[in-house]
Amino acid sequence: MIVIHRANKGGQFVGNWRIHAPRLDDEVCTACGLCASFCPEAAISTDEEGKPEIDWRFCKGCGICANECPTGAMTMVKEE
Ligand code: SF4
Ligand code: SF4
């Protein structure tokens, strides 16, 4: 389980900046945790299986998680 504390990075309510949002393909995700490590807003934590969970209050839609994902499990989609 990865928990990155918002005292060290992030912590701002930047969810309303989002134009594109990360979408997870659970079948493709290998639970490597890289997306959580790279997220500049500490918006991603991982569940007990190591799969990412996004706190939408802190996700600004920058796309770094999708860019760093080695399997293509995380992709960016235009938010409705
Ligand atoms: S798009 Fe991904 S890396 Fe960027 S803030 Fe949202 S969860 Fe974090
Ligand atoms: S980087 Fe990709 S494969 Fe790794 S945990 Fe995140 S979504 Fe899953």
Side-chain angles (χ1 to χ4, degrees):
M1 178 186 240
I2 295 176
V3 177
I4 297 169
H5 289 289
R6 293 192 185 90
N8 298 326
K9 65 175 179 176
Q12 303 297 316
F13 294 113
V14 289
N16 63 348
W17 293 11
R18 219 169 38 246
I19 296 171
H20 292 84
R23 182 174 62 192
L24 178 72
D25 184 338
D26 201 58
E27 299 291 312
V28 179
C29 176
T30 58
C32 69
L34 278 178
C35 54
S37 299
F38 278 98
C39 175
E41 300 298 334
I44 305 177
S45 56
T46 56
D47 66 14
E48 57 284 347
E49 294 178 348
K51 300 283 179 78
E53 291 183 326
I54 297 172
D55 186 329
W56 297 109
R57 297 174 300 167
F58 301 104
C59 171
K60 61 187 176 186
C62 66
I64 290 173
C65 53
N67 198 53
E68 297 297 336
C69 176
T71 65
M74 197 76 92
T75 53
M76 299 302 288
V77 294
K78 191 151 195 257
E79 195 155 73
E80 304 279 313

